[in-house]
Amino acid sequence: LVDELGWLAADLNELTVRYGMPVPVGFTFTTAAGSRFGADGWTDELEAALHEGLGHIESATGRKLGASTEPLLVSVRPAATVDLPGLAPPVLDIGIDDAVIEGLTDWAGERFAHDTAVLFVERFATAVLGAPETPFEELRATARRFAAVDHDDELPELVMRLLVDRAREVASAFGDGVPEVPIDQVRKAVRSSMAAWSAPSAVAVRNRRGVAHEPGPAVTVQAMVYGNLGPRSGRGVVWRHDPATGAPGL
């Protein structure tokens, strides 16, 4: 499975099949698809697979991408056959436009909706558009000074709304900016994840580590799990060994 799905999707499959854990629903562009993209670019076949996969997530979750009620947001995560630095970072909370912000507000409140929107713009801009993190950090610092608070979670909702608009303005200076249409956001994130495989830095890492250049990267698209819904909401990574020393144990 690892050779076909990449290490991430293979691990998710193991969690689901072997351990029966509730992994968020999703689909994976295989390593063969990643290789095909490297050779032929974004083909009609890949476009059809994108729509089919998103339809599967929508059917399983009862949510719809771009909907103003019960909207679906997704993550896009690339992975090679081995855990390898140099790939594009994951992009989270994809699928946000103004109608979706309203839907998220109705579902979980205005603070959650605008906080999620800001996080999406920041992550999309840095991971897909190549923007630096500094201007977004400065935006948040300015917002805290304006509101006279010490932490982002203390920002009033009005300031959060303004922060979304300013983050979009900053992102618009890089590439084509953040697409307004949710399906375009997903497509661009998937394409960027696949394209990162051919970046000189990624090629250099594989050469240095003796990792084969084929097959290409797999890219997994999953329904979002939120760590910012409230004090009882969280997300993170569980390791079965110490990532620094390799010693076994959670």
Side-chain angles (χ1 to χ4, degrees):
L1 279 180
V2 173
D3 288 343
E4 180 181 1
L5 299 179
W7 69 266
L8 172 63
D11 281 358
L12 292 172
N13 182 77
E14 183 177 13
L15 287 173
T16 303
V17 175
R18 179 177 296 185
Y19 300 108
M21 298 187 70
V23 172
V25 64
F27 68 97
T28 298
F29 288 93
T30 64
T31 55
S35 294
R36 194 171 302 120
F37 175 85
D40 302 325
W42 188 257
T43 63
D44 292 342
E45 183 182 9
L46 292 175
E47 180 71 15
L50 175 65
H51 286 271
E52 180 182 355
L54 289 172
H56 167 67
I57 298 178
E58 289 176 339
S59 177
T61 61
R63 294 177 173 272
K64 188 172 179 60
L65 191 73
S68 58
T69 58
E70 297 189 346
L72 170 70
L73 300 185
V74 298
S75 63
V76 169
R77 304 170 186 269
T81 56
V82 295
D83 193 358
L84 193 66
L87 290 180
V91 187
L92 309 181
D93 303 311
I94 303 172
I96 288 183
D97 60 11
D98 289 340
V100 169
I101 291 176
E102 292 182 10
L104 293 174
T105 298
D106 293 340
W107 177 51
E110 188 171 355
R111 164 165 293 284
F112 166 76
H114 287 95
D115 183 47
T116 302
V118 174
L119 289 171
F120 161 65
V121 173
E122 291 174 345
R123 289 160 175 159
F124 192 95
T126 54
V128 178
L129 303 178
E133 295 180 359
T134 303
F136 297 102
E137 294 171 347
E138 291 174 348
L139 268 184
R140 288 182 175 271
T142 300
R144 290 192 298 271
R145 287 194 299 269
F146 176 79
V149 299
D150 294 325
H151 305 287
D152 288 350
D153 58 9
E154 298 173 321
L155 290 171
E157 292 173 353
L158 174 60
V159 175
M160 291 299 297
R161 289 199 297 270
L162 295 173
L163 192 56
V164 173
D165 293 336
R166 289 292 295 120
R168 286 171 169 171
E169 290 177 12
V170 171
S172 67
F174 298 91
D176 297 326
V178 179
E180 294 182 7
V181 181
I183 184 66
D184 293 343
Q185 298 169 4
V186 182
R187 182 188 302 107
K188 193 161 187 174
V190 172
R191 293 181 62 167
S192 174
S193 296
M194 291 181 174
W197 185 254
S198 301
S201 58
V203 173
V205 168
R206 294 198 298 276
N207 287 337
R208 186 166 63 249
R209 295 192 170 208
V211 175
H213 298 293
E214 292 291 339
V219 179
T220 296
V221 182
Q222 275 186 288
M224 276 299 303
V225 173
Y226 303 99
N228 58 335
L229 272 171
R232 291 179 58 82
S233 172
R235 61 183 171 209
V237 178
V238 176
W239 296 84
R240 61 186 177 187
H241 60 273
D242 187 315
T245 67
L250 294 179

